[in-house]
Amino acid sequence: MIEIKNVSKKFENTEALKGVSLKVEKGEFFGLLGPNGAGKTTLMNIIVGYLKPDEGKVFIDGTEMKSDDVSLREKIGYVPQDIGLYQELTAMQNLKIFGSFYNHTKKELNERIEQALELVQLNDRRKDVVKEFSGGMKRRLNIAASLLHDPEIILCDEPTVGVDPQSRNAIFEMLQKLNADGKTLIYTTHYMEEAERLCNRMAIIDYGKIIAGGTLSELIDLLHTRETLKIRKTKETEALLGEIKKLGVFSEHDFYFEIRPNENYDVYSKLFADLETIGLDSKFVEISRASLEDVFLYLTGRSLRD
Amino acid sequence: MKTILNLIKKDVVRFLKDTPALILTFVVPAVLIIIFGNIFGGGNDSRGKPEIILVNESNSPAAEFLEEKLDSSDLLQTVKVYHQDGKEIPFTEESAKEFVSKGKITAAVVLPEDFLSDTSSGMKIKFYYDPKNEIESNLIQGGIQKTIFSEMPAIMPYLMQRQMSNLLGSDSGKIFNKKMADLIGESFGFNPDSVFKSMTQIDLNQLQNDSTAAGADFMNNLINIESEQLVGKEIKSPGVTRIVGGWAMMFLLFTLTGASISIFEEKQEGSLRRLLFMPITRSQILWSKYLYSILLGIVQLLVMFFISWVVFDVDIFSNFFNLFVVIVASAFAAVAFGMLITAMSKTIQQANGLATLIVLVMSAVGGSWFPVSLFPNWIQVISKFTITYWSVEAFLDVLWRRASLVDILPNLGVLLATAVVINYIALYLFKKRSVV
């Protein structure tokens, strides 16, 4: 449904995208993961036709997206990273203005506004001016404003930035409902837990290049182990540091050592036996499943939030 | 103390980085001081002298003398010919009146054939004027009076002689005075020649400065100025009618540059990007902004003129169509100018600083605050490169003299042509600099 073919984009001396190719199928909840400045927003802007790629093409349902032909944008709802609302107007006024740019009758538009307000749970705040809203409410209205024309494709560019956990959950539920209703979503984030929770499939982007892609399971399979050991820093564990390092890929953090074991432990008893062998008490050890964060670290040698 | 110094240093560094603040703090006041200084005579350049038409239809040497003095006046610039079909044609009384009536010049002085008539002891001067610029009109009248009165002593003996002959017949005055002087000298022991001399000399300075009715009557008998206001006699509120166009234009410029600059606000708050994610093109956004600003400008000007009608009884309806045409042309030009400032700027702060500077300078130089004719010549030249000048003159023409559409065509042409050119440049810059 959305096909990105070898897209490159340069801003002055910065290469924002380097030959990016992706395919997102209809009804997918696709995640685009990467640290800040990786090129996620640039790619989204090219998909919606806001930016023109220097090279490559984007196809929506087989039709090439061109920045000077805005008709394809009817199919897309773009939730921008910045709150793109008129702060001095009410929620209702904002929705009426943004909804007016699509081919709705007055009645249809009013119905769409009602549905959107219900979806983002802001029915009772429709007459309030946006600048009086909390950050989470603004984010939800920001999403509502992008859904008024019932788009087939929804592009969400980090829609939860600066949002409290409660509002974040509400946004997640809303997006999952939209996906369940058959909408295709592309969701950018640098929070791996968000991608893990929401997306069926994802791509990891870094320095303008797609470095990996697939389902969560496929990405974690890139690691040779699915577990990570966190060993609390104490006098006892520090004394065993030489032995600990032999267990796998070692990294040191403020309060703990992290080991990605050399061996894939399908049975944890084997792991504990190995720990006992080197004299490490299991009370200092926490085992966690490998995450996308680990995948990113594995692929780039950097943490996502560096 | 060190902390305070560091805090001050912090403020200085931030201030120096703030270009708009620098412009508003130093450039705007400096430019306005230069302009005001020049208007009120502080500049080194010669002040522009108001022009008057001078027509001398008299053969009298006294008229010729007065003409010379008016020609060489420091206060006025006399004009005696006009150009038509490549020919230089001397003004007549009729053509001079026509020029004043059409607003091409503020005043005309005619020294008529009967400048010195056989029956009159004084001189007759005709003065035609158009007080559309009150200050200029007063300056001209003052300049003419000063020139005439300062040159009176030279003309006075001639006039006095004529008065004596009118009263006492040819040469009788002299004989009478001579006999009286001889009698006084003989009776009181004075030198009869000295007495005769003092009898025939009148202290002109004293007469000029004489504030009594007798003194004034005497002078009025000697100089008969027939003044006629050719334009604006029927205007109910001349003061407000003169200034309303200038002020309206200044506020229009402020409003419309603000409206254009609002693109930056929309950009900052993210709403502009959202619009561009929708099925809306950049040129649609620019056109909507342009047309909205023009509409806003037209409504604003209509409201301002309407208020001047309600509060000050300024007659806006007797020439309303032409007033409306000038309003529309002014709005077009002002919006184009606002778009250019937006296209030239990188940030809203930069645009605001630039707009304030240019609007204030254009208003000062273009005649929103003072008649352009009061400015030094070099500022008068610059003023013609501002849209304010052409707009203010057009407003004055339609309100003051009920100018026809043909009369204001040059102003409309300049305003609309300027709008087209500036818009073209603005659009080019918008594209080149990706402002939207």
Side-chain angles (χ1 to χ4, degrees):
Chain A
M1 187 181 197
I2 302 170
E3 194 173 4
I4 300 158
K5 280 186 174 174
N6 200 30
V7 163
S8 297
K9 181 74 186 174
K10 198 172 179 181
F11 296 109
E12 293 181 359
N13 298 322
T14 310
E15 271 191 278
L17 293 174
K18 302 168 192 169
V20 171
S21 294
L22 280 175
K23 212 170 185 179
V24 179
E25 297 300 332
K26 187 175 169 62
E28 267 194 301
F29 201 136
F30 188 87
L32 195 58
L33 289 78
N36 291 328
K40 303 186 294 292
T41 301
T42 304
L43 184 58
M44 296 285 259
N45 285 341
I46 287 173
I47 294 172
V48 80
Y50 174 76
L51 288 177
K52 193 176 172 183
D54 297 333
E55 281 175 42
K57 289 176 181 173
V58 173
F59 296 91
I60 308 287
D61 289 337
T63 309
E64 187 182 345
M65 171 61 85
K66 290 182 176 170
S67 59
D68 50 356
D69 176 8
V70 295
S71 58
L72 267 183
R73 293 186 203 167
E74 296 266 4
K75 292 187 174 187
I76 301 172
Y78 191 115
V79 182
Q81 189 174 345
D82 302 319
I83 304 283
L85 299 168
Y86 298 109
Q87 302 283 327
E88 72 283 6
L89 301 183
T90 65
M92 193 69 177
Q93 285 171 325
N94 267 283
L95 296 179
K96 278 192 172 173
I97 287 172
F98 291 120
S100 68
F101 299 115
Y102 299 97
N103 293 322
H104 293 302
T105 61
K106 197 176 174 186
K107 192 183 165 202
E108 282 169 351
L109 177 60
N110 285 334
E111 281 172 9
R112 290 298 309 158
I113 289 173
E114 289 306 318
Q115 288 166 7
L117 282 171
E118 197 175 331
L119 183 75
V120 298
Q121 296 167 21
L122 286 172
N123 316 47
D124 53 337
R125 303 297 300 268
R126 67 180 65 205
K127 288 182 181 171
D128 293 346
V129 291
V130 172
K131 66 183 172 192
E132 289 170 4
F133 281 12
S134 68
M137 287 161 68
K138 283 181 187 172
R139 285 271 162 208
R140 280 186 276 154
L141 187 63
N142 202 34
I143 294 171
S146 307
L147 304 177
L148 294 167
H149 56 301
D150 195 19
E152 295 167 36
I153 300 163
I154 300 165
L155 306 179
C156 298
D157 191 7
E158 306 206 23
T160 58
V161 170
V163 170
D164 60 275
Q166 199 183 343
S167 289
R168 182 176 292 193
N169 275 330
I171 290 171
F172 289 164
E173 283 167 19
M174 189 196 320
L175 296 177
Q176 282 170 321
K177 183 176 183 307
L178 287 165
N179 184 232
D181 290 344
K183 309 291 181 197
T184 307
L185 283 99
I186 300 183
Y187 186 98
T188 74
T189 182
H190 60 270
Y191 296 120
M192 293 293 160
E193 56 274 27
E194 287 190 356
E196 285 174 356
R197 173 173 170 179
L198 295 171
C199 305
N200 331 109
R201 215 158 60 83
M202 55 204 88
I204 298 177
I205 184 169
D206 192 35
Y207 291 122
K209 285 180 95 169
I210 302 291
I211 54 173
T215 61
L216 176 63
S217 176
E218 285 166 349
L219 287 170
I220 287 175
D221 279 348
L222 294 173
L223 304 170
H224 51 271
T225 55
R226 286 179 172 266
E227 290 80 24
T228 305
L229 307 185
K230 283 182 181 171
I231 301 162
R232 218 178 334 136
K233 273 185 182 175
T234 62
K235 280 181 188 171
E236 294 92 326
T237 56
E238 279 176 2
L240 294 168
L241 206 53
E243 294 300 320
I244 289 172
K245 283 182 179 176
K246 289 178 189 168
L247 291 172
V249 180
F250 173 85
S251 58
E252 185 173 348
H253 300 266
D254 289 343
F255 305 106
Y256 61 91
F257 306 114
E258 191 172 272
I259 293 290
R260 195 165 304 118
N262 294 326
E263 195 177 330
N264 212 357
Y265 291 101
D266 292 328
V267 183
Y268 282 179
S269 54
K270 171 78 171 62
L271 169 64
F272 287 109
D274 284 353
L275 295 177
E276 209 176 321
T277 309
I278 63 167
L280 182 63
D281 192 331
S282 60
K283 70 181 181 187
F284 298 117
V285 180
E286 184 188 317
I287 303 169
S288 58
R289 295 279 298 172
S291 67
L292 283 171
E293 183 77 41
D294 300 310
V295 176
F296 189 81
L297 187 67
Y298 169 73
L299 292 170
T300 66
R302 290 179 292 118
S303 164
L304 255 173
R305 292 179 184 86
D306 281 351
Chain B
M1 191 61 195
K2 193 184 167 192
T3 307
I4 289 175
L5 285 174
N6 284 336
L7 286 168
I8 291 171
K9 195 175 159 189
K10 174 262 300 176
D11 285 336
V12 170
V13 170
R14 290 192 66 204
F15 177 71
L16 292 175
K17 288 270 178 194
D18 188 350
T19 311
L22 283 169
I23 290 174
L24 291 174
T25 309
F26 299 114
V27 182
V28 172
V31 171
L32 292 181
I33 285 168
I34 291 167
I35 292 169
F36 280 107
N38 276 292
I39 291 169
F40 294 111
N44 295 325
D45 193 2
S46 63
R47 176 195 289 271
K49 292 190 282 187
E51 288 186 336
I52 58 160
I53 294 172
L54 179 60
V55 182
N56 184 1
E57 295 177 335
S58 167
N59 295 321
S60 151
E64 199 178 317
F65 178 77
L66 186 59
E67 183 184 350
E68 276 175 27
K69 293 300 168 190
L70 285 168
D71 285 344
S72 57
S73 167
D74 291 338
L75 304 168
L76 303 165
Q77 177 71 49
T78 56
V79 181
K80 294 176 183 172
V81 293
Y82 63 99
H83 296 270
Q84 196 176 49
D85 304 328
K87 289 179 189 166
E88 213 172 59
I89 301 169
F91 275 109
T92 61
E93 183 173 353
E94 283 315 303
S95 58
K97 282 172 77 174
E98 194 186 330
F99 264 62
V100 175
S101 298
K102 287 192 170 174
K104 293 178 181 172
I105 202 154
T106 300
V109 170
V110 178
L111 309 180
E113 269 186 66
D114 57 346
F115 176 72
L116 294 171
S117 72
D118 292 339
T119 53
S120 163
S121 56
M123 55 187 178
K124 184 178 172 186
I125 296 170
K126 290 182 179 175
F127 179 61
Y128 300 109
Y129 68 104
D130 167 12
K132 73 168 183 180
N133 292 328
E134 195 177 17
I135 303 171
E136 188 185 17
S137 176
N138 289 341
L139 275 175
I140 288 172
Q141 292 194 42
I144 291 169
Q145 283 176 0
K146 191 180 173 198
T147 306
I148 292 171
F149 284 121
S150 63
E151 300 307 331
M152 276 300 291
I155 307 174
M156 193 63 88
Y158 183 70
L159 297 177
M160 293 292 290
Q161 257 183 357
R162 284 172 53 83
Q163 190 168 26
M164 298 278 266
S165 10
N166 284 342
L167 289 171
L168 302 169
S170 176
D171 213 33
S172 295
K174 268 189 190 170
I175 296 164
F176 175 80
N177 280 346
K178 182 74 179 117
K179 287 192 172 173
M180 279 296 289
D182 288 346
L183 188 64
I184 291 166
E186 198 178 307
S187 306
F188 297 99
F190 294 127
N191 181 350
D193 288 340
S194 301
V195 174
F196 177 73
K197 204 176 172 185
S198 64
M199 284 175 77
T200 52
Q201 270 185 347
I202 298 168
D203 188 345
L204 294 173
N205 288 331
Q206 190 186 338
L207 274 173
Q208 276 179 22
N209 297 327
D210 193 345
S211 59
T212 63
D217 283 349
F218 180 81
M219 295 306 287
N220 286 338
N221 282 334
L222 289 178
I223 306 163
N224 175 20
I225 300 179
E226 287 179 9
S227 291
E228 188 182 346
Q229 180 180 343
L230 295 180
V231 190
K233 274 183 282 193
E234 71 290 358
I235 288 173
K236 294 170 196 164
S237 301
V240 182
T241 305
R242 283 186 197 103
I243 61 163
V244 65
W247 286 93
M249 190 59 195
M250 186 176 74
F251 285 107
L252 177 80
L253 279 168
F254 271 123
T255 303
L256 297 190
T257 49
S260 307
I261 288 169
S262 68
I263 286 178
F264 284 111
E265 285 168 2
E266 291 188 49
K267 207 172 176 181
Q268 260 180 0
E269 69 185 3
S271 51
L272 185 70
R273 274 166 75 90
R274 178 184 282 284
L275 292 176
L276 289 168
F277 296 145
M278 294 178 158
I280 300 170
T281 62
R282 285 172 167 82
S283 58
Q284 282 173 327
I285 288 176
L286 280 180
W287 273 111
S288 69
K289 188 63 76 182
Y290 185 67
L291 295 174
Y292 159 74
S293 300
I294 286 171
L295 196 65
L296 177 67
I298 291 170
V299 172
Q300 187 194 18
L301 284 178
L302 284 174
V303 168
M304 281 195 270
F305 283 110
F306 184 76
I307 290 170
S308 70
W309 170 65
V310 171
V311 181
F312 299 106
D313 208 14
V314 171
D315 182 7
I316 59 170
F317 295 110
S318 58
N319 199 13
F320 186 76
F321 177 76
N322 291 338
L323 175 66
F324 185 73
V325 172
V326 179
I327 283 174
V328 172
S330 301
F332 266 91
V335 171
F337 173 76
M339 293 300 239
L340 180 66
I341 288 179
T342 307
M344 284 165 64
S345 308
K346 285 181 182 168
T347 62
I348 189 167
Q349 291 83 0
Q350 208 176 60
N352 277 326
L354 199 59
T356 307
L357 172 69
I358 295 177
V359 171
L360 286 179
V361 171
M362 277 217 302
S363 300
V365 172
S368 273
W369 301 339
F370 304 103
V372 170
S373 52
L374 300 180
F375 298 168
N377 292 330
W378 67 273
I379 296 187
Q380 288 194 37
V381 172
I382 294 172
S383 71
K384 291 187 176 59
F385 289 93
T386 66
I387 54 172
T388 305
Y389 171 82
W390 297 98
S391 177
V392 169
E393 290 293 312
F395 280 129
L396 207 49
D397 279 345
V398 294
L399 290 175
W400 186 260
R401 75 181 70 262
R402 315 275 187 263
S404 68
L405 202 56
V406 175
D407 291 335
I408 54 171
L409 266 183
N411 300 60
L412 298 176
V414 171
L415 288 171
L416 293 174
T418 307
V420 170
V421 172
I422 292 180
N423 269 326
Y424 185 80
I425 298 169
L427 275 175
Y428 170 76
L429 289 175
F430 270 123
K431 273 190 180 176
K432 192 182 171 197
R433 306 182 66 181
S434 302
V435 178
V436 177

